[in-house]
């Protein structure tokens, strides 16, 4: 059984959540860096990580970590790598993405071109051919330079893992599925507690919460690039992982998950997305203004991604909007509120300082995950039999 190093990228600031997820799947962590977690696993691990992990963007099969400060050095060190261990003679291979931070080699297109040439030279010498048809499975390479150190991996995923397959319709500024899942996992919410998103948009927070509650594997209804890697991954691993995912599902779970939005068409889109995800029975969507937010039960959760004025004309409305959010939250007895926003005056207008505040990069945008903590519910007394 061959053991690989696998790289799981994530949003900056959420590495601890992903690390816990990987450990819960049973794999050993080798390294945690900004925006990625590396772990050890076999061919089956590639499959299970793609199907079960909620908070990573993709799974890369690590080929090597090399230092290169000149293109000549990059060519020689890339050529020295055992590409034949991963790419068969008919494999389609290219350097799909290159990025560089604080490194002497900084041109992505040049890095891509040099590395492709080096890979071709290596495989020509191993397979004793002058021309590659590249009509087989795809093996896209990704390379990331940081301070002259290049981490090289082959993408096992294809379309990013935040593409669960359920979001057919989106609102103006949707939060990604992987980010929504990670933020939910940062809260103490569980399936027995109330959850409301008063700015639900296309429904991502409620849908991800329902999938967590019902234990639905996020990748079970989509395909992956490495399904065609017959030289590395046996088909039985895919069958076994899908069987495992089906066995773990609990669609009969009882939940109180709600999503509101002021736009009726957006609410319809959220319902349709929930139907595509198979969780429409676990969520109540409703057209409702945040000022009308109320709930008779205690100890609930607001988890939301409110508007934060990306357009200049919207910025003028933010003080009143966040004041209203604060007033609605204040009316909810013993609730907690978690909101992600790029609006820096959020606490001021909500009317209280957050108990915790976490900086998270959503793409290139710096956002804040404000956490307003309510009291813990009393423990249920165990009934005496």
């Amino acid at each position: 059984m061959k053991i690989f190093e696998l790289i799981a990228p994530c949003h900056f600031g959420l590495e601890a959540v992903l690390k816990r997820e990987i450990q819960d799947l049973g794999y050993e962590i080798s390294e945690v860096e900004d925006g990625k977690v590396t772990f050890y696993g076999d061919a089956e691990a590639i499959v299970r990580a793609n199907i079960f992990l909620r908070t990573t963007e993709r799974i890369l099969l690590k080929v090597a970590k090399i230092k290169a400060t000149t293109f000549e050095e990059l060519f020689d060190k890339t050529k020295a790598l055992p590409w034949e261990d991963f790419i068969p003679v008919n494999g389609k291979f290219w350097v799909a993405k290159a990025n560089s931070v604080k490194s002497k080699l900084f041109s992505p297109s040049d890095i891509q071109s040099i590395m492709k040439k080096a890979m071709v030279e290596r495989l020509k010498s191993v397979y004793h051919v002058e021309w590659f048809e590249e009509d087989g499975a795809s093996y896209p390479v990704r390379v990331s330079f940081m301070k002259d150190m290049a981490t090289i991996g082959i993408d096992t995923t294809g379309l990013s893992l935040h593409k669960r397959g359920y979001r057919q319709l989106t609102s103006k500024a949707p939060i990604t599925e992987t980010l929504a899942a990670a933020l939910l996992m940062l809260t103490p919410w569980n399936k027995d507690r109330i959850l409301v998103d008063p700015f639900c948009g296309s429904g991502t927070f409620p849908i991800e919460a329902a999938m967590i509650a019902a234990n639905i594997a996020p990748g079970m209804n989509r395909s992956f690039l490495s399904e065609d890697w017959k030289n590395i991954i046996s088909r039985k691993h895919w069958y076994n992982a899908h069987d495992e995912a089906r066995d773990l599902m609990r669609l009969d779970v009882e939940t109180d998950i709600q999503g509101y939005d002021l736009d009726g068409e957006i609410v319809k889109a959220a319902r349709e997305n929930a139907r595509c995800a198979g969780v429409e029975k676990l969520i109540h969507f409703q057209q409702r203004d945040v000022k009308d937010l109320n709930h008779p039960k205690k100890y609930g959760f607001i988890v939301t991604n409110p508007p934060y004025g990306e357009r200049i004309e919207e910025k003028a409305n933010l003080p009143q909007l966040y004041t209203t959010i604060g007033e609605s939250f204040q009316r909810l007895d013993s609730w907690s509120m978690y909101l992600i926003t790029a609006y820096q005056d959020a606490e001021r207008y909500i009317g209280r300082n957050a108990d915790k505040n976490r900086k998270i990069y959503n793409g290139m945008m710096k956002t804040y995950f404000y956490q307003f903590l309510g009291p813990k519910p009393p423990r249920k007394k165990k009934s005496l039999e």
Side-chain angles (χ1 to χ4, degrees):
M1 179 176 66
K2 187 165 184 180
I3 299 296
F4 305 103
E5 263 196 291
L6 304 172
I7 303 168
C10 64
H11 285 86
F12 284 91
L14 294 172
E15 297 84 2
V17 182
L18 175 56
K19 178 185 174 183
R20 189 171 71 238
E21 259 206 296
I22 293 167
Q23 289 173 324
D24 287 347
L25 267 188
Y27 301 114
E28 182 189 348
I29 305 295
S30 61
E31 192 175 14
V32 178
E33 301 169 85
D34 285 345
K36 65 183 174 189
V37 179
T38 307
F39 62 103
Y40 297 109
D42 56 8
E44 182 187 54
I46 296 172
V47 176
R48 293 183 72 239
N50 272 301
I51 289 175
F52 288 103
L53 292 179
R54 299 182 189 278
T55 63
T56 183
E57 293 302 309
R58 63 186 63 252
I59 301 298
L60 302 174
L61 174 51
K62 184 176 174 181
V63 176
K65 195 168 189 176
I66 61 172
K67 183 174 184 179
T69 56
T70 67
F71 284 118
E72 185 179 9
E73 189 177 17
L74 178 63
F75 181 91
D76 290 341
K77 288 187 175 179
T78 302
K79 186 181 175 184
L81 297 175
W83 292 104
E84 65 277 7
D85 290 354
F86 309 102
I87 302 168
V89 68
N90 68 335
K92 182 181 179 185
F93 60 98
W94 71 104
V95 182
K97 187 166 184 183
N99 60 46
S100 178
V101 178
K102 298 177 182 173
S103 299
K104 292 181 181 65
L105 302 181
F106 56 83
S107 164
S109 59
D110 288 335
I111 292 168
Q112 288 168 291
S113 174
I114 294 288
M115 288 185 68
K116 168 74 180 195
K117 286 175 186 170
M119 291 167 70
V120 168
E121 289 305 310
R122 169 75 184 203
L123 293 174
K124 274 165 68 172
S125 67
V126 172
Y127 291 129
H128 307 293
V129 295
E130 286 299 313
W131 176 258
F132 292 99
E133 293 291 340
E134 297 197 47
D135 56 356
S138 293
Y139 298 81
V141 172
R142 288 179 167 239
V143 58
S144 177
F145 269 89
M146 170 61 78
K147 296 179 180 175
D148 299 324
M149 294 299 296
T151 303
I152 302 166
I154 305 176
D155 180 17
T156 76
T157 302
L159 205 59
S160 174
L161 287 174
H162 79 260
K163 304 273 190 184
R164 313 283 205 225
Y166 66 72
R167 197 156 74 178
Q168 311 297 313
L169 304 154
T170 60
S171 54
K172 272 189 302 188
I175 192 167
T176 67
E177 294 87 329
T178 45
L179 179 54
L183 295 178
L184 285 164
M185 292 162 76
L186 272 177
T187 77
W189 175 81
N190 64 60
K191 65 183 187 307
D192 300 322
R193 307 278 292 274
I194 306 151
L195 186 141
V196 176
D197 180 356
F199 300 93
C200 74
S202 52
T204 311
F205 269 130
I207 292 169
E208 289 296 318
M211 289 176 73
I212 290 169
N215 213 11
I216 297 172
M220 68 181 293
N221 293 317
R222 53 158 287 170
S223 59
F224 303 95
L225 204 127
S226 53
E227 285 179 57
D228 295 327
W229 291 10
K230 296 179 177 62
N231 61 318
I232 296 175
I233 305 172
S234 165
R235 283 303 308 170
K236 74 174 183 182
H237 291 317
W238 295 102
Y239 298 136
N240 290 345
H242 279 102
D243 286 345
E244 181 186 358
R246 279 190 290 272
D247 289 344
L248 290 170
M249 274 197 309
R250 296 289 177 265
L251 291 175
D252 57 348
V253 66
E254 289 189 13
T255 59
D256 190 347
I257 300 171
Q258 303 178 29
Y260 307 143
D261 203 280
L262 197 55
D263 187 330
E265 290 304 308
I266 289 293
V267 172
K268 282 183 192 172
R271 282 199 192 105
E272 178 59 20
N273 289 341
R275 188 192 65 74
C276 291
V279 294
E280 72 274 23
K281 292 178 181 174
L282 302 179
I283 307 170
H284 173 69
F285 286 109
Q286 189 179 354
Q287 184 177 359
R288 184 188 276 198
D289 196 314
V290 66
K291 69 180 172 59
D292 300 321
L293 177 58
N294 58 67
H295 203 291
K297 292 181 183 174
K298 297 171 72 166
Y299 307 112
F301 287 80
I302 296 171
V303 183
T304 193
N305 174 35
Y308 35 82
E310 289 140 295
R311 298 195 186 101
I312 292 171
E313 63 269 24
E314 292 171 346
K315 286 194 187 304
N317 302 325
L318 292 182
Q320 181 56 55
L321 176 66
Y322 281 79
T323 299
T324 304
I325 292 171
E327 290 167 351
S328 294
F329 175 51
Q330 198 171 8
R331 289 196 304 268
L332 293 164
D333 185 20
S334 306
W335 278 47
S336 299
M337 178 167 70
Y338 298 79
L339 58 87
I340 182 169
T341 179
Y343 185 44
Q344 296 189 349
D345 287 330
E347 290 170 298
R348 175 184 169 193
Y349 290 107
I350 285 169
R352 63 177 267 198
N353 289 333
D355 298 289
K356 292 182 180 178
N357 178 13
R358 197 179 189 114
K359 194 187 298 179
I360 292 165
Y361 282 87
N362 186 6
M364 297 306 292
M365 183 184 290
K366 183 166 69 173
T367 62
Y368 302 91
F369 189 47
Y370 294 107
Q371 303 167 57
F372 301 89
L373 310 179
K376 292 179 181 177
R379 285 189 174 182
K380 290 179 183 176
K381 290 179 182 176
K382 290 182 180 177
S383 58
L384 297 171
E385 291 184 4

